[in-house]
Amino acid sequence: MSGSLLSDPFLSGSLLSDSLLSDYEMAALLLSLKVSTIAVIASLPLGIVCAWLLARIEFPGKAIFDSLIHLPLVLPPVVVGYLLLITMGRKGVIGQFLFDWFGLSFSFSWRGAALASAIVAFPLMVRAIRQSFETVDLRLEQAARTLGSSRWRVFVTITLPLTSPGIVSGMIIAFARSLGEFGSTITFVSNIPGETRTIPLAMYSFIETPGAEYQAMRLCIISIVIALMSLLASQWLTNKALKRTASVC
């Protein structure tokens, strides 16, 4: 395995680089940011809907629905990746339909990496947004309804602004979780340089390569810095949103 890694032009080039970030490491960093950003943006509307349903609506099978949403938190990531492979792969139940009719393929592409990251991070996003929905004073919504506002207008102008701290927090936590996703990604889309090799997968390649410990450490430090920045940004934005909503109330 080490020989194949050393023959990788992306990897061998990075081993010879003395710059702050080699082309290989920069490609992995940019791909990670791209995958995580798309994963969060694409899953946010569904996350808000699911969080609202869990926080406000009582319906048969709610406990099962809640469990299914949080299932990726307790499943081994490899299981998530395998399930994606048999459903969204080229020959999968859904993947074959998407490819035959729309030419859209998720397996072995960055789109698949974004899908895997979104699924793994989705429960964390829903959890944060749901808690924010549960803290909204229903009397404010009821007062707006008695003044003639429609349910949709109340939701957009009152409920969403009041839940913005949870939405912001959920987005950033999901983003940070997506950056660190490894198991489901490598199972579903493999470890392809420039296409699916995110920071965790690049670190894995370095760890498997003799003499590449320094490069692995650099990516480790980058991952820690990005994670810390994400958490600090989440705290700052949440506090700012809380102050804004408090002034509105």
Side-chain angles (χ1 to χ4, degrees):
M1 185 174 185
S2 298
S4 62
L5 288 172
L6 287 172
S7 63
D8 187 331
F10 287 88
L11 186 57
S12 59
S14 70
L15 290 174
L16 297 175
S17 174
D18 293 327
S19 61
L20 180 62
L21 283 179
S22 66
D23 293 340
Y24 173 90
E25 293 164 330
M26 183 59 70
L29 174 60
L30 294 177
L31 181 61
S32 293
L33 295 175
K34 173 184 175 180
V35 165
S36 300
T37 301
I38 292 176
V40 171
I41 293 175
S43 60
L44 180 61
L46 182 60
I48 293 175
V49 172
C50 290
W52 182 81
L53 286 173
L54 292 173
R56 297 294 183 83
I57 306 297
E58 294 295 331
F59 55 90
K62 181 178 179 179
I64 297 176
F65 180 66
D66 191 7
S67 299
L68 288 174
I69 288 177
H70 289 85
L71 193 60
L73 285 179
V74 295
L75 279 177
V78 175
V79 173
V80 176
Y82 174 73
L83 292 175
L84 284 172
L85 192 61
I86 62 177
T87 55
M88 300 299 295
R90 285 280 184 92
K91 300 299 181 180
V93 179
I94 302 175
Q96 186 172 6
F97 170 79
L98 292 175
F99 183 74
D100 292 342
W101 286 88
F102 303 102
L104 185 61
S105 176
F106 284 91
S107 57
F108 308 109
S109 74
W110 66 266
R111 290 182 292 272
L115 178 61
S117 297
I119 290 176
V120 172
F122 189 71
L124 298 175
M125 176 189 290
V126 171
R127 196 177 190 89
I129 300 175
R130 176 186 180 179
Q131 291 174 348
S132 191
F133 272 123
E134 292 173 342
T135 61
V136 174
D137 191 345
L138 296 179
R139 292 174 297 181
L140 295 174
E141 298 178 356
Q142 293 168 356
R145 291 281 293 149
T146 59
L147 294 175
S149 296
S150 64
R151 291 183 182 274
W152 176 248
R153 183 178 177 82
V154 170
F155 181 78
V156 172
T157 60
I158 296 178
T159 308
L160 273 184
L162 291 176
T163 57
S164 59
I167 294 174
V168 170
S169 178
M171 289 177 62
I172 296 181
I173 291 174
F175 177 81
R177 178 64 185 87
S178 297
L179 282 174
E181 178 49 35
F182 174 80
S184 62
T185 302
I186 197 170
T187 304
F188 181 38
V189 297
S190 189
N191 189 2
I192 305 173
E195 182 66 30
T196 66
R197 187 172 287 176
T198 56
I199 289 178
L201 272 66
M203 283 188 62
Y204 173 76
S205 299
F206 279 131
I207 292 171
E208 290 291 299
T209 304
E213 294 82 5
Y214 173 66
Q215 285 77 10
M217 178 58 68
R218 290 202 302 188
L219 287 181
C220 178
I221 294 173
I222 292 172
S223 298
I224 293 173
V225 170
I226 294 176
L228 284 175
M229 290 175 60
S230 298
L231 292 175
L232 290 173
S234 174
Q235 188 64 40
W236 181 76
L237 290 172
T238 300
N239 291 337
K240 188 174 181 180
L242 284 172
K243 291 179 181 178
R244 187 177 68 251
T245 53
S247 63
V248 171
C249 295

